[in-house]
Amino acid sequence: MNDSVTRQLALTLGHLYPDQLNLYGDRGNIIVLRRRCQQRGIELRVVSLGLGDALAPDEYDMLFIGGGQDREQAPVAQDLHDTKGIGLWAAIEDDMPVLAVCGGYQLLAHYYRPASGPDMRGLGVFDAWTIHKGPRVARCIGDIAINWNGSTLVGFENHGGRTYLGTAQPLGKVLKGYGNNAEDATEGAIYRNAYGTYMHGSLLPKNPHFADHLIGLALRRKYGKNDWDNSHINETGEWTDGASSSESLEIKDDDPSVVLTPLDDRLEWEAHASLLEHMGLQDAAIAALSNDNGLKVS
Ligand code: GLN
């Protein structure tokens, strides 16, 4: 019998520029990630990284950067280049899950040309660029829905910048709303495990599957692609390795969240579906309330 070792699962999330990039409740994404870890007995430690703070990638398991006004983005762009860019690049190239929303997303692409003033250099993680069309062109404001991973993601967008993708893969196709640029029906961008999106809301409370996707990526990256057995992660978030059983789950490449114990997400999916209905996407709303999400269709 293998000597099984029990260990407490724990993750550290770096919250970048919380004082500058904090629009439309983006902080709610942190609250959801912490709650969904806590409900599984996984400790999520959140560390704020402000202007001038160094980013040592080995100290983190996932990163979040929110949205902001043009004037707040300028010092952040400078700091990304002066201080955090190398560490952030290293983290992303090492497949750390990163969620970047709106203004943060724009600064992870090549550049952001604001409504006025000079271009802001981005990190170029996403092969894309953003151009604000000026104060006389209506902003992209409203509810948004996209398809993602065989499901949907819903949120709220408010941006003047229009993002155009080079070789970057979009996060999804716009079903309703503006998306990257209100022209090509793309929304967001993906590079390795870095996800850029225009979806505020905040995003994760109504998209539990996406929250679990990010948590699953972080766990898989930190603890390795092992045969996991749900019984291995007990209610206190302890995981005993070594002991394997026939029920053990191999983490499927495209669904790292399979390792996570399902939670009761009925309220989250009802909120998700009601936003889809509000946007006239009835079929997607029914699908959202289907059994696939562990729900009993009433
Ligand atoms: N200031 C940027 C724009 O207007 C980003 C806005 C945001 O983060 N919501 O496009």
Side-chain angles (χ1 to χ4, degrees):
M1 179 66 179
N2 297 319
D3 291 335
S4 68
V5 173
T6 295
R7 51 183 164 172
Q8 171 66 44
L9 293 178
L11 297 171
T12 301
L13 180 145
H15 184 183
L16 275 66
Y17 311 110
D19 296 334
Q20 288 77 27
L21 301 183
N22 56 10
L23 286 184
Y24 313 114
D26 285 340
R27 192 179 294 273
N29 294 308
I30 307 281
I31 295 170
V32 165
L33 289 169
R34 179 180 260 144
R35 181 84 185 107
R36 296 187 73 82
C37 283
Q38 189 183 52
Q39 286 174 297
R40 291 157 168 138
I42 300 167
E43 182 193 350
L44 181 72
R45 198 164 68 90
V46 178
V47 176
S48 295
L49 289 156
L51 294 174
D53 291 340
L55 194 170
D58 295 348
E59 293 176 10
Y60 303 95
D61 303 300
M62 49 198 321
L63 298 170
F64 173 74
I65 179 169
Q69 328 238 355
D70 288 10
R71 67 173 177 278
E72 306 283 6
Q73 287 175 274
V76 167
Q78 193 59 49
D79 185 76
L80 279 172
H81 271 273
D82 297 347
T83 312
K84 298 186 188 45
I86 293 172
L88 190 46
W89 257 114
I92 290 168
E93 289 295 348
D94 190 35
D95 287 334
M96 186 182 299
V98 176
L99 176 61
V101 176
C102 205
Y105 161 37
Q106 294 170 339
L107 295 179
L108 293 195
H110 291 305
Y111 65 84
Y112 171 43
R113 183 164 298 159
S116 60
D119 288 4
M120 297 179 205
R121 283 182 310 172
L123 282 189
V125 168
F126 301 121
D127 180 16
W129 57 96
T130 302
I131 297 169
H132 194 298
K133 302 274 183 167
R136 275 191 288 281
V137 176
R139 293 176 66 83
C140 299
I141 299 177
D143 295 328
I144 177 171
I146 70 170
N147 66 354
W148 175 74
N149 208 21
S151 178
T152 44
L153 294 178
V154 296
F156 174 79
E157 59 184 326
N158 181 343
H159 53 103
R162 269 64 169 181
T163 297
Y164 300 90
L165 304 182
T167 60
Q169 177 195 346
L171 174 61
K173 177 177 177 294
V174 176
L175 301 174
K176 206 82 169 189
Y178 297 97
N180 279 328
N181 50 48
E183 296 164 34
D184 62 13
T186 65
E187 202 294 317
I190 301 173
Y191 174 71
R192 302 180 79 103
N193 288 333
Y195 295 87
T197 178
Y198 272 113
M199 291 194 277
H200 297 283
S202 48
L203 173 64
L204 297 181
K206 295 189 187 76
N207 299 287
H209 51 328
F210 192 48
D212 282 354
H213 178 76
L214 296 171
I215 295 169
L217 285 171
L219 286 172
R220 178 171 69 176
R221 177 176 174 272
K222 180 169 188 178
Y223 293 105
K225 270 187 67 176
N226 293 285
D227 275 355
W228 295 61
D229 177 333
N230 263 348
S231 63
H232 280 187
I233 304 179
N234 61 31
E235 63 286 345
T236 59
E238 291 175 334
W239 174 54
T240 54
D241 59 8
S244 64
S245 70
S246 56
E247 306 86 57
S248 63
L249 295 166
E250 181 59 38
I251 297 177
K252 299 184 213 99
D253 273 342
D254 60 351
D255 182 5
S257 62
V258 71
V259 72
L260 294 169
T261 308
L263 299 176
D264 178 354
D265 289 331
R266 278 171 296 181
L267 287 180
E268 288 79 357
W269 282 108
E270 281 166 10
H272 184 109
S274 67
L275 196 49
L276 289 168
E277 280 172 5
H278 180 68
M279 288 185 264
L281 299 168
Q282 266 65 24
D283 292 349
I286 291 167
L289 293 175
S290 75
N291 248 338
D292 298 354
N293 298 321
L295 302 169
K296 297 282 172 279
V297 179
S298 50

